[in-house]
Amino acid sequence: MSARKPIRAPCRFTPRATFLNPVPTMNKTNCPQGGPAHRHLALQSGLMLAVFMLTPNIPRPSLAFPFLLGAVSLYYFHNVKRDLRAALSGIEERWFLVTLFGFCGYLFLNSLWSLATQAALGKSAYVLLLIGLSVLVSRAFSRQPRETLERAAHFAVTGAVIGTLIAAFEFSTGHYLERMLYTFVPMIRPGAKTIDVFVTINGELTRLPEAEFRKAYDNVVIRVSSAALNRNLSMLMFLFWPALFLAVNHVKPKRATLSAGVIAVAATISIFAGHSQTAQAALLLSTAAFFAARYWPVFTRRSILSAWCVAVILALPLAAAPYKAGLHTSEWIASSFRDRMIIWDFTVEQAVKTPWLGIGLRSTRVRGKELKKTRTELPGHVRPRRLSWHSHNHFLQVWLELGAAGAIFLLALGIGLLRAVNRMEQSVKPYAYAAFVSACVVAAFGWGLWQSWLLSGYALTVMLVRFIGAYADRETAGAS
């Protein structure tokens, strides 16, 4: 019978500052150079840098980041803690976990009567994966030592500074870097919804058809549509409040002030230089929630909870109200928002026909195509009454596709998230509430619920809020 191998304790680190790197680095005490803890530290730090630097500028590829964070978290439990079963236990309330995975189960069931069953099942699986990854990553952050979190936070702040500066430069210069990149690398040019390509033919500047975009021509002129990049600004808002918390609480006070100022100013320039009114509303309302939470925490918590309940339960009458009030004909309102009023009212008409279980996940596009032949032009309407590709209101879309059963799950999910925020350190709460409000504003006015990049953005928000919560917990424990 062979002797059992001794169990080696996980690596421990002690902070060590250097002249070139004032942020504490990890000084090994009982583990070999290049060991699992060092590799985890490098992977997680580099990934946090990439998340904050790239996500506001290339949202679609960024949908991979929740999966990469999940992989790094699995590596942490398996190779650093050497206890995979630790990933199965956490501080989440049991009823909330049941609700999370019960919601996923309902999505799979709802997909059976969807008008696009295969796509619906795919989205159900994607949501299940993101929820599982969010729980896994949150539990990994909650177990990591202070020095590991500080190192990751340092790289996150660096990435946020670079990422917001790039976004501000791009939106305020007509996307100069993108235009240069698309000019010299034709193969990566996107479709006509994002850019226009002009070339000189017979002495005249001519717009190319999309089929010719990726061919090489001399004297190419690229025009980028800022309105087509609104998703960049939504992703910027998802990361803004966690980044600001980490910047404000940086271990070096002077660097904290500078980093926080750069992130706040650059993000504001990006959002107001762009065309996303949703992102602008998210910034203003989340900022109001942030200051309210700092000075009136109990009132703010109750107000946000009440607003969430009203938004979910009364989604149908609230969505129909602007159209019923005739605001869709008011020329002082932006035409894009007037169009959404028309879409919302027509969507409400369809939702009340199947109030309990909805028409099925991912069915809005299919039903919209079916009803396309019945569209009519009405006076004072900027667009016909119709179902759009998506409802531009996630609360309304849940009622249409998932029915009252889905709305009950959504209501419980929001309540569970707010209860989790309320258990966080007092210093984190204003930022966490602001992040919640920001996500809710994006949900209320922009995009479709099942877009993969957007679902990944919501998951990233949850993960990063949990990260700043764990960071604050370690700082408080270290100070006591």
Side-chain angles (χ1 to χ4, degrees):
M1 185 174 180
S2 59
R4 296 178 60 184
K5 293 182 179 180
I7 299 175
R8 187 175 61 183
C11 298
R12 295 177 182 174
F13 298 101
T14 55
R16 177 173 57 85
T18 67
F19 174 76
L20 294 177
N21 185 9
V23 176
T25 58
M26 303 303 110
N27 187 24
K28 71 181 173 62
T29 59
N30 68 337
C31 51
Q33 186 67 31
H38 284 277
R39 284 194 288 271
H40 170 260
L41 184 68
L43 288 170
Q44 181 167 284
S45 298
L47 192 52
M48 293 295 276
L49 174 72
V51 165
F52 282 90
M53 183 170 64
L54 300 180
T55 300
N57 297 296
I58 49 171
R60 289 190 185 277
S62 297
L63 60 85
F65 284 135
F67 296 89
L68 293 175
L69 283 169
V72 171
S73 297
L74 273 178
Y75 182 87
Y76 172 76
F77 281 114
H78 184 265
N79 294 77
V80 181
K81 284 193 70 70
R82 293 185 175 85
D83 183 10
L84 269 178
R85 287 197 292 183
L88 301 177
S89 60
I91 62 173
E92 303 89 1
E93 293 179 280
R94 183 169 297 180
W95 74 268
F96 184 52
L97 287 176
V98 171
T99 301
L100 280 172
F101 292 103
F103 175 64
C104 294
Y106 176 68
L107 292 184
F108 281 102
L109 178 64
N110 179 273
S111 298
L112 299 180
W113 58 84
S114 169
L115 302 178
T117 302
Q118 187 173 357
L121 289 171
K123 290 299 179 182
S124 299
Y126 192 71
V127 171
L128 176 60
L129 276 173
L130 287 178
I131 288 177
L133 290 170
S134 298
V135 173
L136 173 68
V137 173
S138 298
R139 289 175 175 177
F141 287 150
S142 68
R143 287 169 169 81
Q144 291 173 11
R146 176 182 176 181
E147 293 79 14
T148 300
L149 296 177
E150 281 184 352
R151 187 66 170 173
H154 166 65
F155 277 88
V157 172
T158 302
V161 169
I162 297 172
T164 53
L165 283 175
I166 292 174
F169 178 80
E170 284 292 271
F171 278 96
S172 59
T173 61
H175 306 281
Y176 178 83
L177 296 178
E178 280 187 89
R179 286 189 283 113
M180 293 300 99
L181 189 62
Y182 295 150
T183 297
F184 296 110
V185 190
M187 68 176 62
I188 66 170
R189 291 173 187 164
K193 290 183 179 180
T194 303
I195 66 170
D196 292 319
V197 181
F198 298 88
V199 297
T200 302
I201 301 177
N202 297 325
E204 294 185 1
L205 198 63
T206 305
R207 183 184 182 278
L208 291 178
E210 186 174 347
E212 303 288 321
F213 275 13
R214 295 165 189 87
K215 291 185 178 181
Y217 288 91
D218 295 328
N219 302 320
V220 172
V221 177
I222 304 288
R223 184 174 65 193
V224 177
S225 170
S226 282
L229 300 176
N230 286 346
R231 66 176 66 89
N232 298 41
L233 301 178
S234 294
M235 294 299 283
L236 176 59
M237 280 308 309
F238 289 154
L239 272 60
F240 177 72
W241 291 106
L244 197 61
F245 173 86
L246 294 173
V248 169
N249 291 275
H250 197 278
V251 292
K252 292 292 182 180
K254 291 183 179 179
R255 179 168 184 144
T257 302
L258 178 61
S259 299
V262 169
I263 291 170
V265 172
T268 302
I269 291 173
S270 304
I271 289 169
F272 283 95
H275 290 77
S276 176
Q277 295 172 330
T278 297
Q280 293 169 9
L283 179 60
L284 294 174
L285 292 175
S286 62
T287 301
F290 171 78
F291 285 107
R294 283 180 66 92
Y295 297 106
W296 306 286
V298 176
F299 170 78
T300 303
R301 175 175 60 83
R302 292 175 178 173
S303 297
I304 293 175
L305 177 60
S306 300
W308 173 260
C309 294
V310 169
V312 176
I313 296 171
L314 301 180
L316 297 184
L318 287 174
Y323 185 91
K324 303 302 182 188
L327 294 179
H328 63 288
T329 61
S330 301
E331 296 185 359
W332 58 270
I333 299 176
S335 59
S336 60
F337 193 54
R338 291 162 61 193
D339 183 35
R340 292 183 188 186
M341 297 178 191
I342 297 169
I343 293 171
W344 292 343
D345 187 69
F346 191 81
T347 303
V348 170
E349 285 187 5
Q350 300 301 311
V352 296
K353 296 177 182 179
T354 53
W356 302 111
L357 300 176
I359 63 174
L361 190 156
R362 203 55 163 62
S363 295
T364 299
R365 295 184 179 187
V366 180
R367 180 60 58 82
K369 290 179 180 179
E370 293 174 353
L371 299 173
K372 191 173 182 179
K373 296 179 181 179
T374 64
R375 291 182 184 178
T376 56
E377 298 285 348
L378 297 174
H381 288 55
V382 292
R383 296 286 300 279
R385 287 174 57 81
R386 70 198 188 284
L387 284 179
S388 181
W389 280 74
H390 44 74
S391 302
H392 293 284
N393 184 319
H394 298 175
F395 305 103
L396 178 57
Q397 188 173 354
V398 165
W399 274 96
L400 173 65
E401 296 186 348
L402 307 182
I408 292 172
F409 275 112
L410 181 64
L411 179 67
L413 292 178
I415 292 173
L417 288 173
L418 289 172
R419 283 174 63 91
V421 170
N422 191 48
R423 295 196 302 272
M424 289 182 170
E425 288 287 334
Q426 194 61 41
S427 62
V428 180
K429 289 182 183 179
Y431 297 89
Y433 282 128
F436 183 86
V437 170
S438 180
C440 288
V441 174
V442 172
F445 298 110
W447 313 109
L449 175 57
W450 309 117
Q451 291 178 272
S452 298
W453 67 268
L454 187 61
L455 291 171
S456 292
Y458 289 140
L460 269 179
T461 302
V462 171
M463 294 175 185
L464 295 175
V465 169
R466 188 66 195 92
F467 176 80
I468 65 175
Y471 182 85
D473 289 342
R474 298 299 181 277
E475 290 297 309
T476 300
S480 60

